[in-house]
């Protein structure tokens, strides 16, 4: 032990052995992908063994610091909106920055599975990795709590829901490149599980970054790829699950806008950024200007945050600030005709930089 810190002693084999690499280090957008903090090191060779001893000195402040620490928790102010109902299902609710677009840089490095093997290169390799993610998530406490919470509170998903009230279609937007992003793979794995759990007969998917390999992967899990970019302007003619984690606010706005009536919104379940978190963002004027339908309906949605913590194999930033939302038919009808009088004419909205999905 040193006065200004503590000493960690590690042993490294001289032989060139394969070492485990965290899967998150291969996703450049995960905090663990950041280069390690440089540290002073001294090496002492020993004659009796074939190992070297590396001594690294770390100060207490460095040891306790968490890179990219999440924003502090905030309490949701549901009391200000009587019709707002939020199911927290344990865990902390902490809004961060839901307006941030999905990172879709084409230069992402290959995703690596939890056992350290590559999940890219061929459809077979990625599909095998996805099946492992699906089964690991299925067995997790996270998924069990999510399903039990939704079965207990979300009308279209409860066990006693009539057949014509249950989702008959899943529309997945903005999932990202399945063949190269570990985050996308984990998010897609949960989508597959939800489709299976509620026996949704039809599933569709779209992201403009999808490659032919991504399309093949999605199709092998039973997802049809939408032919053109709808920008979220999909009017639901039957109960529909919209699965769109970490998309931009304008995309959620366009989904709401395309279904702007009490009857239409009551058909939707939206899994994505917390609507309640948008009300806690500082620049409300800008948000209201580019996503007015989202801002207007958010206080009247029923929200069920996904359980926390996320599974250990997923990491904390794949489903952070993600919730399931639905719109109670009676609550929507009680809003009155004046609420729905805002004009919905024209094309889908766009953010300041023109991007939607």
């Amino acid at each position: 032990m040193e006065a200004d810190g503590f000493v960690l002693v590690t042993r490294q084999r001289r032989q060139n052995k394969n070492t485990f690499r965290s899967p998150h280090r291969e996703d450049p957008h995960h905090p663990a992908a950041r280069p390690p903090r440089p540290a002073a090191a001294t090496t002492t060779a020993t004659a009796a063994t074939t190992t070297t001893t590396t001594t690294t000195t770390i100060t207490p402040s460095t040891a306790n610091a968490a890179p990219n620490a999440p924003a502090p928790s905030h309490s949701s102010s549901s009391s200000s909106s009587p019709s707002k109902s939020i199911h927290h299902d344990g865990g902390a609710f902490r809004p961060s920055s839901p307006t941030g677009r999905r990172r879709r840089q084409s230069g992402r490095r290959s995703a690596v599975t939890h056992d350290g093997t590559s999940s890219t290169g061929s459809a077979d390799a990625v599909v095998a990795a996805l099946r492992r993610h699906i089964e690991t998530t299925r067995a997790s406490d996270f998924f069990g709590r999510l399903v039990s919470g939704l079965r207990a509170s979300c009308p279209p998903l409860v066990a006693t829901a009539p057949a014509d009230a249950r989702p008959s279609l899943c529309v997945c937007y903005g999932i990202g490149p399945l063949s190269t992003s570990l985050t996308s793979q984990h998010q897609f794995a949960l989508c597959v599980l939800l489709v299976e759990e509620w026996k949704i007969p039809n599933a569709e998917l779209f992201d403009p970054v999808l490659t032919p390999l991504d399309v093949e992967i999605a199709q092998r899990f039973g997802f049809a790829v939408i032919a053109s970019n709808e920008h979220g302007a999909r009017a639901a003619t039957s109960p529909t699950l919209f699965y769109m984690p970490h998309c931009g606010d304008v995309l959620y706005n366009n989904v709401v806008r395309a279904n702007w009536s009490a009857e239409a919104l009551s058909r939707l379940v939206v899994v994505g950024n917390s609507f309640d978190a948008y009300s806690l963002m500082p620049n409300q004027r800008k948000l209201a200007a580019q996503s007015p339908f989202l801002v207007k309906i958010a206080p009247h949605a029923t929200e069920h945050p996904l359980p926390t913590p996320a599974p250990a194999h997923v990491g904390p930033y794949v489903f952070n600030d993600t919730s399931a939302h639905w719109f109670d038919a009676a609550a929507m009808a009680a809003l009155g005709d004046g609420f729905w009088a805002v004009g919905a004419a024209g094309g889908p909205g766009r953010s300041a930089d023109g991007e939607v999905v």
Side-chain angles (χ1 to χ4, degrees), residues 204-336:
E204 300 178 3
L205 175 146
F206 184 83
D207 193 306
V209 304
L210 294 180
T211 65
L213 178 58
D214 297 323
V215 170
E216 179 183 351
I217 293 164
Q219 290 173 339
R220 287 173 64 168
F221 284 92
F223 282 70
V225 176
I226 300 169
S228 61
N229 195 341
E230 303 173 331
H231 301 294
R234 169 72 71 98
T237 58
S238 63
T240 302
L241 169 64
F242 283 91
Y243 185 85
M244 38 198 304
H246 295 175
C247 290
D249 59 287
V250 176
L251 191 62
Y252 300 109
N253 179 76
N254 289 350
V255 169
V256 172
R257 180 180 190 172
N259 296 276
W260 191 249
S261 71
E263 180 182 3
L265 282 177
S266 65
R267 302 188 189 110
L268 309 187
V269 176
V270 180
V271 175
N273 291 342
S274 166
F275 287 6
D276 188 65
Y278 284 114
S279 66
L280 302 177
M281 295 183 64
N283 198 340
Q284 288 293 305
R285 180 175 298 179
K286 177 181 178 181
L287 182 65
Q290 69 184 25
S291 299
F293 293 84
L294 172 63
V295 169
K296 188 165 187 177
I297 201 63
H300 307 287
T302 304
E303 180 166 322
H304 183 99
L306 269 62
T308 55
H313 73 284
V314 169
Y317 300 106
V318 175
F319 297 115
N320 62 302
D321 296 341
T322 302
S323 297
H325 311 81
W326 58 93
F327 308 89
D328 180 73
M332 295 298 101
L335 293 173

Side-chain angles (χ1 to χ4, degrees), residues 151 157 166-169 192-202:
R151 285 197 181 279
L157 303 179
R166 298 175 185 174
S168 59
L169 173 65
V192 171
L193 284 170
L194 295 177
V195 169
E196 291 180 356
E197 181 69 27
W198 277 284
K199 300 178 173 59
I200 302 175
N202 303 292

Side-chain angles (χ1 to χ4, degrees), residues 3-348:
D4 59 344
F6 59 91
V7 177
L8 296 179
V9 179
T10 61
R11 293 190 178 274
Q12 298 177 330
R13 296 281 183 188
R14 280 182 179 174
Q15 294 85 347
N16 183 19
K17 296 288 187 181
N18 292 327
T19 57
F20 172 79
R21 300 184 70 184
S22 167
H24 301 302
R25 291 189 181 277
E26 295 300 321
D27 190 334
H29 307 302
H30 194 281
R34 295 174 56 184
R37 189 185 300 274
T42 61
T43 304
T44 304
T46 63
T49 66
T50 61
T51 62
T52 60
T53 303
T54 302
T55 304
T56 304
T57 303
I58 305 175
T59 64
S61 60
T62 302
N64 295 331
N68 288 350
S73 300
H74 298 275
S75 299
S76 57
S77 55
S78 58
S79 59
S80 62
S81 301
S83 57
K84 180 72 173 179
S85 175
I86 303 177
H87 302 271
H88 280 273
D89 190 29
F93 172 75
R94 42 180 197 80
S96 55
S97 55
T99 55
R101 300 188 306 276
R102 287 188 56 84
R103 300 181 178 99
R104 294 193 291 269
Q105 289 89 336
S106 59
R108 290 187 178 185
R109 290 176 288 175
S110 298
V112 170
T113 63
H114 191 54
D115 59 10
T117 59
S118 176
S119 65
T120 64
S122 72
D124 288 341
V126 180
V127 167
L130 277 166
R131 294 198 188 283
R132 289 194 294 272
H133 299 328
I134 289 168
E135 294 310 316
T136 305
T137 301
R138 190 198 306 275
S140 68
D141 177 67
F142 165 85
F143 184 65
R145 290 167 60 199
L146 174 60
V147 170
S148 62
L150 292 178
R151 285 197 181 279
S153 58
C154 182
L157 303 179
V158 299
T160 56
D164 60 355
R166 298 175 185 174
S168 59
L169 173 65
C170 173
V171 176
C172 177
Y173 288 137
I175 199 65
L178 296 174
S179 59
T180 58
S181 168
L182 187 64
T183 294
S184 297
Q185 291 178 9
H186 284 312
Q187 292 174 343
F188 184 67
L190 180 59
C191 186
V192 171
L193 284 170
L194 295 177
V195 169
E196 291 180 356
E197 181 69 27
W198 277 284
K199 300 178 173 59
I200 302 175
N202 303 292
E204 300 178 3
L205 175 146
F206 184 83
D207 193 306
V209 304
L210 294 180
T211 65
L213 178 58
D214 297 323
V215 170
E216 179 183 351
I217 293 164
Q219 290 173 339
R220 287 173 64 168
F221 284 92
F223 282 70
V225 176
I226 300 169
S228 61
N229 195 341
E230 303 173 331
H231 301 294
R234 169 72 71 98
T237 58
S238 63
T240 302
L241 169 64
F242 283 91
Y243 185 85
M244 38 198 304
H246 295 175
C247 290
D249 59 287
V250 176
L251 191 62
Y252 300 109
N253 179 76
N254 289 350
V255 169
V256 172
R257 180 180 190 172
N259 296 276
W260 191 249
S261 71
E263 180 182 3
L265 282 177
S266 65
R267 302 188 189 110
L268 309 187
V269 176
V270 180
V271 175
N273 291 342
S274 166
F275 287 6
D276 188 65
Y278 284 114
S279 66
L280 302 177
M281 295 183 64
N283 198 340
Q284 288 293 305
R285 180 175 298 179
K286 177 181 178 181
L287 182 65
Q290 69 184 25
S291 299
F293 293 84
L294 172 63
V295 169
K296 188 165 187 177
I297 201 63
H300 307 287
T302 304
E303 180 166 322
H304 183 99
L306 269 62
T308 55
H313 73 284
V314 169
Y317 300 106
V318 175
F319 297 115
N320 62 302
D321 296 341
T322 302
S323 297
H325 311 81
W326 58 93
F327 308 89
D328 180 73
M332 295 298 101
L335 293 173
D337 294 340
F339 180 87
W340 309 101
V342 294

